[in-house]
Amino acid sequence: MNAPIPIRNLYCVGRNYRLHAAELGNAVPETPLIFTKPTHAAVSWEGEVALPGTQGSVHYETELVLLFGQPYERGASLDRVVSHFTVGLDFTLRDEQERLKAEGWPWLSAKGFRNSAGFGRWEAYPGEEELARRDFTLRINGREAQRGNIRDMVFGFAELASFIGERYGLGPGDVLFTGTPAGVGALRDGDELTLAWDGREVGSAKVRLV
Ligand code: ZN
């Protein structure tokens, strides 16, 4: 991993964009829907990345990702505790997730597999307002597949940080995937996925379904 500090906890938010919740037939939650991934899920988005090819569809979810550099305490300003951001990929075994949801089981096998958390190049955190001025995008084989803007989030950064920080703890090295906009879909072996913020590429890699 090319992170500025070693990655610790990987927190993710489900259904944080209305149109994405709707495209999967899910209601928007009244409180943040938080799940985690093992640190072994983390992978720099470059070169070739292996993902599971024998467990049904693997969906891409493109998300704005925050890296915490300081411990979060109640009421802390995010400008002080968040050090970097990037665009990342929260990969999901969608058929497996549907099965887990039907059974009422935890999401680990659908969300926590190796390389299920891809990170672009980390950049200094410019603040939420600045991030909201620009879109983040995913291109697959050169064609735009997803475009999002954090102003469409159901729960904003401060709300997410206080919810997670007070319940589970947030400290240096912790990462927060802030949810995917609409447009998720299944990958094919050999797809080239390119992440960008404000039209500027932050990572590109080829997917190998193995
Ligand atoms: Zn996600």
Side-chain angles (χ1 to χ4, degrees), residues 21-194:
E23 75 182 340
L24 295 184
N26 293 315
V28 173
E30 284 175 15
T31 54
L33 172 58
I34 306 298
F35 59 94
T36 60
K37 296 177 184 249
T39 51
H40 302 290
V43 64
S44 296
W45 199 245
E46 58 196 5
E48 288 198 349
V49 176
L51 294 171
T54 59
Q55 298 172 65
S57 61
V58 184
H59 273 203
Y60 51 84
E61 296 188 357
T62 311
E63 313 199 359
L64 211 292
V65 186
L66 303 180
L67 175 65
F68 286 75
Q70 299 290 329
Y72 174 87
E73 283 154 30
R74 183 187 287 257
S77 132
L78 284 200
D79 291 341
R80 199 173 58 73
V81 295
V82 175
S83 62
H84 293 80
F85 83 100
T86 191
V87 183
L89 288 155
D90 163 22
F91 290 112
T92 306
L93 283 165
R94 192 68 74 197
D95 300 325
E96 174 69 2
Q97 188 190 35
E98 294 303 324
R99 189 178 74 87
L100 298 170
K101 279 159 63 179
E103 299 280 1
W105 290 345
W107 288 5
L108 179 62
S109 60
K111 288 283 197 180
F113 51 90
R114 290 183 58 139
N115 296 342
S116 62
F119 296 106
R121 189 181 60 249
W122 294 97
E123 300 191 1
Y125 179 65
E128 187 164 7
E129 218 173 288
E130 178 62 21
L131 284 182
R133 287 206 186 98
R134 313 273 186 247
D135 293 348
F136 56 93
T137 55
L138 167 69
R139 280 182 291 125
I140 301 183
N141 305 324
R143 185 171 298 176
E144 186 170 296
Q146 275 192 290
R147 171 177 289 271
N149 189 298
I150 60 160
R151 64 174 169 250
D152 296 324
M153 292 187 301
V154 175
F155 300 104
F157 290 168
E159 220 169 342
L160 293 172
S162 97
F163 186 92
I164 296 168
E166 288 172 26
R167 281 168 182 75
Y168 316 122
L170 261 178
D174 288 353
V175 160
L176 174 57
F177 280 76
T178 55
T180 187
V184 302
L187 291 172
R188 284 168 305 183
D189 184 50
D191 279 346
E192 179 86 26
L193 273 59
T194 304

